Amino acid sequence: MSSGPLSDRRQAGVCLHISSLPGPYGIGDLGTCARDFVNFMRRAGLSVWQFLPLGPTGYGNSPYQPLSSFAGNELLIAPDDLLGLGLVEEEDTARLRELPADHVDFDRLIPLKTGLLDLAATRFSSRASAALKQEFTTFVARHDPEWLNDYALFRIAGSAYEPRPWQEWPEALRRREPAALAAFAAEHRDRLDSVRVIQFLFWRQWNALRRYAADAGIRLFGDLPIYIALDSADAWAHPALLCLDADGWPRVVAGVPPDYFSADGQLWGNPLYDWPRHEAQGYAWWIARLCASLALADFVRIDHFRGFESYWTVPAGSATAREGRWEPGPRDALFDALRAAFGGLPIVAENLGVITDEVEALRHRHGLPGMVVLQFTVGDPGFRLEDMAENEVCYTGTHDNDTTAGWFHGGSDETRTADEIRATREAALRLTGGTPDTIALDFVRKAFASNARLAVAPLQDLLELGSEARMNTPGKTGASWQWRSTAAHFGAELCDNVAQIVTTMAREGNNGRRDTG
């Protein structure tokens, strides 16, 4: 493992979440469609694939509010691979093939996909080969003590007591009394084993995809939310590591203070860490969490890096984030512990928003690359593209932004006036020297031409799509996380256009092994 996340070479990457891949089963998955995307990247000269967090999603389907920091999202398991193992039949997948191909309809997908996976898990003992069963036994022996047993208990108990959160379960189970856990496990043994089988199938498919990507010279770039969800296996299994009361409810919650963009700040509601307790344990939970993330990716972005220097704490029950205050984060101690555990820090720091000198000093002390998002630089008189440092990741936009074309034309923006949108357009054209019709690829060219050793564009910008392809609008539910690409997007023209930009901007693709066929 290298000491830092970025290659010494100038590389180009694409951001696309697994759920947004094309495919016939209602959501992108880890099977053929993922391998086809790796093949596209190789032909296009792209060498880094960035995706969003891969944990199982709960309410709102947000990858940033996972039910576990260690488990995989079961919805991303590929039915084709289950067919190949003999765990399901073609007719079992028929209703999934009726789902729309251009977006994820979670309301219809979740019960159908869950039913298919439960069927595969039920058949595992009778249909799996001896070799596959041995793989499963090894997987369980390794992960049950670390996280798998807790996750299985959490999911089955959550189903049994739905819709109540874990704080409202029977007291003995909520407090994780050993006798209560043992009794619950005995009563639900088969269902717990099904959760284990499904997690095994996810990790088996992911490992196969990771090997395929590595053989193609593609590095995988993951994402790690700083905070965990309150209603999660993590919070239930490790309440002492969080600022919770005796019943498991938060005493304080996360957010950010009022600023130019929000008079009341942002009240996220996530529980905050008891950092002195983490320090007393040598940051063991964080080491385990990063280890789990690096089992999925070659390096990771940590969201809201600012919170490691100082974080905004708001009393639970507050109507807005106005009532909060700054508290010191773990600062150097956490990163010193991670470096000692991993021999380096394969981490990119998300340092967007209002960032203090102290936050940047912490980042630089540990040699962590930051992020530069070109959409955010437009109109900033202090920004000069030529001054960008090499130890940065340069983006056109992110999953939280509108697409570059949509942003330029004001397609989904309800916060800017017509005059502000006009001023943004003029500044964007000055930055790129391009035209309104080519603005998305003009931004890609500028990002790829920057000094940053890694430049990343969302697939939507490579496709020059508008606001209809936006992945997420922060603070809003509904259509977020639903966008999908289709097979028609990946024609020879896209491949040739991207490869030309990569070559022209002197970025080296997939370890020099570009496949032009």
Side-chain angles (χ1 to χ4, degrees), residues 374 385 396 404-405 408 428-450 461-462 464 501 505:
L374 292 188
L385 189 63
T396 55
T404 294
F408 180 84
L429 294 176
R430 286 195 301 271
L431 174 68
T432 63
T435 71
D437 292 337
T438 61
I439 192 64
L441 288 184
D442 292 336
F443 261 63
V444 173
R445 292 185 184 93
K446 281 295 181 183
F448 285 18
S450 72
D461 284 353
L462 298 179
E464 303 181 86
I501 295 173
M505 302 309 168

Side-chain angles (χ1 to χ4, degrees), residues 152-164 169 184 191:
L153 287 168
F154 177 81
R155 291 304 299 267
I156 299 307
S159 176
Y161 298 109
E162 189 177 16
R164 289 180 285 169
W169 294 351
F184 187 87
R191 295 182 68 197

Side-chain angles (χ1 to χ4, degrees), residues 67-68 148-160 165-166 169 176 184 192 230-237:
L67 299 174
S68 168
L148 182 57
N149 184 59
D150 285 330
Y151 176 68
L153 287 168
F154 177 81
R155 291 304 299 267
I156 299 307
S159 176
W166 65 266
W169 294 351
R176 296 175 56 83
F184 187 87
L192 294 169
L230 176 61
D231 194 20
S232 68
D234 305 304
W236 175 62

Side-chain angles (χ1 to χ4, degrees), residues 388-504:
M388 189 183 304
E390 290 186 359
N391 196 34
E392 302 279 5
V393 182
C394 183
Y395 293 83
T396 55
T398 75
H399 64 277
D400 281 335
N401 301 115
D402 200 348
T403 68
T404 294
W407 162 82
F408 180 84
H409 294 290
S412 66
D413 198 330
E414 300 174 356
T415 63
R416 291 182 294 167
T417 66
D419 286 343
E420 289 171 333
I421 292 172
R422 188 179 306 110
T424 294
R425 290 176 184 168
E426 293 172 354
L429 294 176
R430 286 195 301 271
L431 174 68
T432 63
T435 71
D437 292 337
T438 61
I439 192 64
L441 288 184
D442 292 336
F443 261 63
V444 173
R445 292 185 184 93
K446 281 295 181 183
F448 285 18
S450 72
N451 296 329
R453 292 208 304 276
L454 175 59
V456 176
L459 179 68
Q460 294 94 316
D461 284 353
L462 298 179
L463 292 168
E464 303 181 86
L465 298 178
S467 298
E468 74 282 356
R470 183 169 186 164
M471 186 61 168
N472 177 50
T473 302
K476 292 188 177 181
T477 56
S480 290
W481 318 115
Q482 294 185 8
W483 181 78
R484 293 185 69 195
S485 57
T486 65
H489 286 137
F490 296 96
E493 181 179 2
L494 174 65
C495 217
D496 292 344
N497 286 346
V498 176
Q500 183 181 39
I501 295 173
V502 171
T503 300
T504 302

Side-chain angles (χ1 to χ4, degrees), residues 45-58:
L46 299 167
S47 53
V48 174
W49 180 0
Q50 183 173 5
F51 44 83
L52 307 186
L54 293 171
T57 54

